[in-house]
């Protein structure tokens, strides 16, 4: 059904955007939850530095972030050489690298939304469970995590929406390879570089807008659900 209204190139770019966005969001979710909890609940030396590091991709030019990824995870980078030599896989210039770039660029939005959700949880509920003999992990999984679920989902969708629109870091880190790293934004850029490519460019714009609206609408729905829960509990 997809091929009936999309050209093979458009379907390929759409699928690659969805794949890299989903994988990138999935790999950033566990560390995102952990860092959001630390930033929301702990006071320690270096907290400001950690917060700044998390939000760095929001303020750095995406091309800078992509170049840093290339230095770290490229074939000659410290981590890239290790992965290639000892684990047998590479990240530069393939879709896995595009997923990593998407994860890095969406990480700040994901962490911020989940952190705000953690900050709305009343610590007295966790303290009451502690007095009843519940351990830290039991408290987190049975009380804290269910209470922050709407914020967690909203943060995940925000990170995914940001991943779908990623361009600068991706093209710098993994280049523009059709079928391998050419996501929707990069395909749009490519369409604008050829004569009479405006029609294809407009179609890529339409696809990108539809995906972004869907993700943002879902994120807003869960954010409002969290606000209703907070008002109901107060």
């Amino acid at each position: 059904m997809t091929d009936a209204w999309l050209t093979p190139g458009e379907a390929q770019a759409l699928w690659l955007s969805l794949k890299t966005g989903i994988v990138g969001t999935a790999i950033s979710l566990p560390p995102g939850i952990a860092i959001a909890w630390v930033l929301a609940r702990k006071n320690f030396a270096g907290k400001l530095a950690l917060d700044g590091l998390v939000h760095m991709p929001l303020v750095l030019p995406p091309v800078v972030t992509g170049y840093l990824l290339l230095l770290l995870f490229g074939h000659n980078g410290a981590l890239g050489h290790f992965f290639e030599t000892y684990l047998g896989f590479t990240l530069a210039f393939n879709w896995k690298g595009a997923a990593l770039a998407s994860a890095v660029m969406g990480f700040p939005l994901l962490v911020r939304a989940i952190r705000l959700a953690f900050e709305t949880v009343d610590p007295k509920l966790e303290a009451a469970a502690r007095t009843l003999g519940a351990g830290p992990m039991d408290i987190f999984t049975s009380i804290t995590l269910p209470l922050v679920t709407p914020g967690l989902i909203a943060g995940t969708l925000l990170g995914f929406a940001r991943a779908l629109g990623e361009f600068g870091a991706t093209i710098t880190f993994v280049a523009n390879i059709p079928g391998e790293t050419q996501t929707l934004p990069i395909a749009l850029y490519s369409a604008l570089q050829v004569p009479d490519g405006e029609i294809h460019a407009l179609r890529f714009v339409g696809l990108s807008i539809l995906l972004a609206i869907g993700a943002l609408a879902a994120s807003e729905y869960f954010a409002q659900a969290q606000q209703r829960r907070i008002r109901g509990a107060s």
Side-chain angles (χ1 to χ4, degrees), residues 81-171:
H81 179 73
F82 173 83
F83 289 151
E84 188 170 354
T85 302
Y86 297 102
L87 301 180
F89 73 93
T90 60
L91 290 171
F93 308 113
N94 60 57
W95 76 267
K96 295 186 287 294
L100 176 61
S102 298
V104 170
M105 297 304 295
F107 194 70
L109 295 177
L110 183 146
V111 170
R112 186 171 184 82
I114 299 175
R115 176 185 179 179
L116 292 174
F118 277 124
E119 290 174 346
T120 64
V121 177
D122 190 349
K124 294 179 181 178
L125 296 174
E126 298 169 326
R130 200 174 297 113
T131 61
L132 295 174
M137 187 55 65
D138 290 333
I139 293 173
F140 183 79
T141 56
S142 62
I143 296 177
T144 308
L145 202 57
L147 289 175
V148 303
T149 296
L152 191 152
I153 296 174
T156 300
L157 290 169
L158 277 175
F160 176 67
R162 178 64 185 85
L164 288 178
E166 169 47 35
F167 172 78
T170 302
I171 198 170

Side-chain angles (χ1 to χ4, degrees), residues 10 13-14 17 164 182-189 204 207-208 211:
E10 291 166 350
L14 174 61
S17 289
L164 288 178
Q182 193 179 80
T183 57
L184 280 175
I186 298 177
L188 169 59
Y189 173 79
F204 286 126
L207 285 172
S208 300
L211 287 175

